[in-house]
Amino acid sequence: MYINVSRKIKLSAVQILAIGFLSLIIIGGIILSLPISSASGTGTNIIDGFFTSTSAVCVTGLITLDTATHWNYFGKTVIIILIQIGGLGFMSFTTLFALILKKKITLRERLVLQEAMNTFGIQGLVRLMRYILIFTFSIEFIGSFLYATQFVPQFGVLKGIYYSVFASISAFCNAGFDLMGNFSSITSYATNITILLNTSALIIIGGLGFAVWSELYSFKNLKKLSLHTKIVLLTTFILIVCGMVFIFLFEYNNAKTIGNMSIIDKLTNSFFASVTTRTAGLNSIPLNDMTGASKFLTIIFMFIGGSPGSTAGGIKTSTLAIIVLIIIAIIKGREDTEVYGKRISKDTVQKAILVFMLGIFIVLVVTLILTITEQASLESLIFEAVSAFGTVGLTLGVTPHLTIIGKIVIMITMYLGRVGPMTVVLAITRKKRKRDYRYPEDKILIG
């Protein structure tokens, strides 16, 4: 019997992205599970290896094994490479190698790049990609230099430089991995303004989105900025300022966090907490010791995340902005969703609602499963679920004690959060088809 296998399986751009990230996770998981990657020289549990790989590729930062003590330098280097590729997207590095080898970027590759970078079109996409790579490595170099001014005197030249590069890549990619040991994040640097401000700057830059920075690079007139850039900048600014003010007020008298600090350190740590909780996963104050109000605010910020086309996760700032604008339009009795004298398309509005609802649905389902499999408070489990979905990496101590089922669930959640709920849905559904007919309209009581 003859079977024709000459037909090629055609994958859409979103399917290539979904499979690409999954392949990278598998490769990383296998390498990290080998004896060559651990400090003890013995193999690592396959589940923990894949969990670490997933967390790195999805630039999350949730860990079941202490990064500083469990992995040797080879394992740590594998992790930071996975973070870098995961943060920029594997298509970015495919394009980088193509540019180095002077190969032509095909139309199909441009379409995948468009989906990966979340841009509006393919025009100038390769030029944008080149700019992104140069911009990324330049910012990470500057960040590494500033870290080195603190780490080299503390750890010595070689170790200090390695720690600086690792911290810079992790912060810019909003990953949340650190090398301080004992799951302590950077709490030992709570009064080091250089470390906190440098980390904050890297997180903000990485979380704004490459399209925004590309536009700001050629900035000449505020009126010429795109609607997307205006919305992202305004929403990010509001979230950072509001988060800083609320955390400052909530924790002001909390002796276990910032209560005993000077006013400058209180403001700096409040600012840092506002920035990092939206997707980076590093913390300068003990999360378990924060007030209930701060923990609740952190959950909200983790769910929101960063901006589209960035290294951040969450539902994204633009999605939140559109949801708010929809509510305002309904309250004012307007048919269209409008802002800055522009009307937001119906398709964009529908996608924003879908992303928001999918995010809520995923968090609820994951939390429900964790309440069955894990022995922890509901607050801690909701925190864990949102942190995984928002690819944040903050935890109230649940991650290291997850059961096997819990680890698998969190891995899937991190993957969904990084690739994006919309990407996964589009990858497994058929193309949208227009129908030549419409059903008759009817009414349903609301409220």
Side-chain angles (χ1 to χ4, degrees), residues 223 225-232 234-235 238 317-318 320-329 332 334-345 348-349:
K223 293 182 178 179
L225 287 177
S226 68
L227 181 61
H228 169 76
T229 296
K230 290 178 182 178
I231 289 292
V232 165
L234 179 62
T235 308
I238 292 173
T317 53
S318 55
L320 172 68
I322 292 174
I323 295 297
V324 172
L325 290 171
I326 292 170
I327 295 172
I328 293 173
K332 291 185 175 181
R334 293 176 180 173
E335 187 176 341
D336 296 320
T337 304
E338 302 166 340
V339 63
Y340 290 125
K342 298 289 181 67
R343 175 172 53 86
I344 300 174
S345 69
T348 301
V349 168

Side-chain angles (χ1 to χ4, degrees), residues 405-426:
I405 296 176
K407 291 175 183 178
I408 293 172
V409 169
I410 292 298
M411 279 192 282
I412 294 172
T413 309
M414 288 190 291
Y415 175 76
L416 292 175
R418 179 64 184 103
V419 176
M422 276 291 295
T423 300
V424 177
V425 170
L426 292 173

Side-chain angles (χ1 to χ4, degrees), residues 68-99:
T69 57
H70 180 81
W71 309 104
N72 58 21
Y73 278 102
F74 175 80
K76 293 170 186 174
T77 303
V78 170
I79 289 172
I80 204 61
I81 290 173
L82 292 175
I83 290 172
Q84 185 77 88
I85 298 175
L88 292 180
F90 70 95
M91 279 305 298
S92 302
F93 287 87
T94 301
T95 305
L96 174 62
F97 291 131
L99 292 173

Side-chain angles (χ1 to χ4, degrees), residues 14 54 99 146 150 177 200 234-235 239 271 278 296 315 338 362 373 381 394 405 408 416 424 438 447:
V14 290
T54 304
L99 292 173
L146 293 174
Q150 308 300 309
F177 279 80
S200 298
L234 179 62
T235 308
L239 288 172
F271 172 74
R278 283 199 300 111
F296 183 70
I315 62 169
E338 302 166 340
I362 291 171
T373 63
L381 296 179
L394 296 175
I405 296 176
I408 293 172
L416 292 175
V424 177
R438 298 175 70 184

Side-chain angles (χ1 to χ4, degrees), residues 25 47 50-56 58 60-64 362-363 365-371 373-374 380-395 398-418:
I25 288 170
I47 295 295
F50 275 97
F51 190 97
T52 305
S53 178
T54 304
S55 186
C58 298
T60 304
L62 290 174
I63 50 173
T64 55
I362 291 171
V363 169
V365 171
V366 171
T367 303
L368 177 61
I369 297 173
L370 292 179
T371 57
T373 63
E374 311 305 316
S380 299
L381 296 179
I382 293 174
F383 198 100
E384 191 81 5
V386 176
S387 180
F389 171 75
T391 66
V392 180
L394 296 175
T395 181
V398 173
T399 314
H401 308 291
L402 287 170
T403 61
I404 293 178
I405 296 176
K407 291 175 183 178
I408 293 172
V409 169
I410 292 298
M411 279 192 282
I412 294 172
T413 309
M414 288 190 291
Y415 175 76
L416 292 175
R418 179 64 184 103

Side-chain angles (χ1 to χ4, degrees), residues 146-147 149-150 191-200 268:
L146 293 174
Y147 277 128
T149 62
Q150 308 300 309
T191 56
N192 189 316
I193 294 179
T194 301
I195 295 291
L196 296 187
L197 293 185
N198 184 39
T199 305
S200 298
T268 305

Side-chain angles (χ1 to χ4, degrees), residues 62-131:
L62 290 174
I63 50 173
T64 55
L65 302 170
D66 186 52
T67 308
T69 57
H70 180 81
W71 309 104
N72 58 21
Y73 278 102
F74 175 80
K76 293 170 186 174
T77 303
V78 170
I79 289 172
I80 204 61
I81 290 173
L82 292 175
I83 290 172
Q84 185 77 88
I85 298 175
L88 292 180
F90 70 95
M91 279 305 298
S92 302
F93 287 87
T94 301
T95 305
L96 174 62
F97 291 131
L99 292 173
I100 293 173
L101 297 174
K102 296 182 179 180
K103 286 188 175 182
K104 186 178 179 181
I105 310 297
T106 65
L107 176 60
R108 184 172 180 78
E109 289 168 340
R110 289 172 190 264
L111 290 172
V112 179
L113 268 175
Q114 179 191 355
E115 190 66 37
M117 293 293 104
N118 207 356
T119 58
F120 296 110
I122 62 173
Q123 187 175 4
L125 201 56
V126 176
R127 185 171 63 254
L128 173 63
M129 197 69 258
R130 188 184 292 112
Y131 161 78

Side-chain angles (χ1 to χ4, degrees), residues 181-358:
N182 300 316
F183 301 95
S184 63
S185 192
I186 57 172
T187 52
S188 58
Y189 298 97
T191 56
N192 189 316
I193 294 179
T194 301
I195 295 291
L196 296 187
L197 293 185
N198 184 39
T199 305
S200 298
L202 289 168
I203 293 168
I204 293 171
I205 293 170
L208 277 178
F210 300 113
V212 172
W213 282 111
S214 177
E215 200 169 332
L216 291 176
Y217 178 74
S218 55
F219 173 76
K220 292 181 180 179
N221 191 327
L222 184 62
K223 293 182 178 179
K224 291 185 178 181
L225 287 177
S226 68
L227 181 61
H228 169 76
T229 296
K230 290 178 182 178
I231 289 292
V232 165
L233 291 176
L234 179 62
T235 308
T236 300
F237 176 78
I238 292 173
L239 288 172
I240 290 176
V241 172
C242 289
M244 176 183 174
V245 171
F246 283 125
I247 291 174
F248 179 79
L249 294 175
F250 295 154
E251 300 296 324
Y252 188 85
N253 293 318
N254 187 351
K256 295 181 179 180
T257 54
I258 66 173
N260 295 326
M261 294 181 182
S262 66
I263 190 67
I264 296 298
D265 287 333
K266 285 182 179 181
L267 289 170
T268 305
N269 280 271
S270 299
F271 172 74
F272 182 80
S274 177
V275 170
T276 190
T277 50
R278 283 199 300 111
T279 189
L282 294 166
N283 59 288
S284 60
I285 55 178
L287 297 177
N288 283 303
D289 294 329
M290 291 196 306
T291 62
S294 292
K295 291 176 183 177
F296 183 70
L297 182 66
T298 299
I299 290 173
I300 294 173
F301 273 35
M302 289 193 299
F303 184 74
I304 296 169
S307 302
S310 70
T311 58
I315 62 169
K316 305 296 188 295
T317 53
S318 55
T319 302
L320 172 68
I322 292 174
I323 295 297
V324 172
L325 290 171
I326 292 170
I327 295 172
I328 293 173
I330 293 172
I331 293 173
K332 291 185 175 181
R334 293 176 180 173
E335 187 176 341
D336 296 320
T337 304
E338 302 166 340
V339 63
Y340 290 125
K342 298 289 181 67
R343 175 172 53 86
I344 300 174
S345 69
K346 184 179 178 181
D347 184 56
T348 301
V349 168
Q350 289 176 340
K351 285 182 178 178
I353 295 173
L354 179 59
V355 168
F356 182 80
M357 295 309 298
L358 281 174

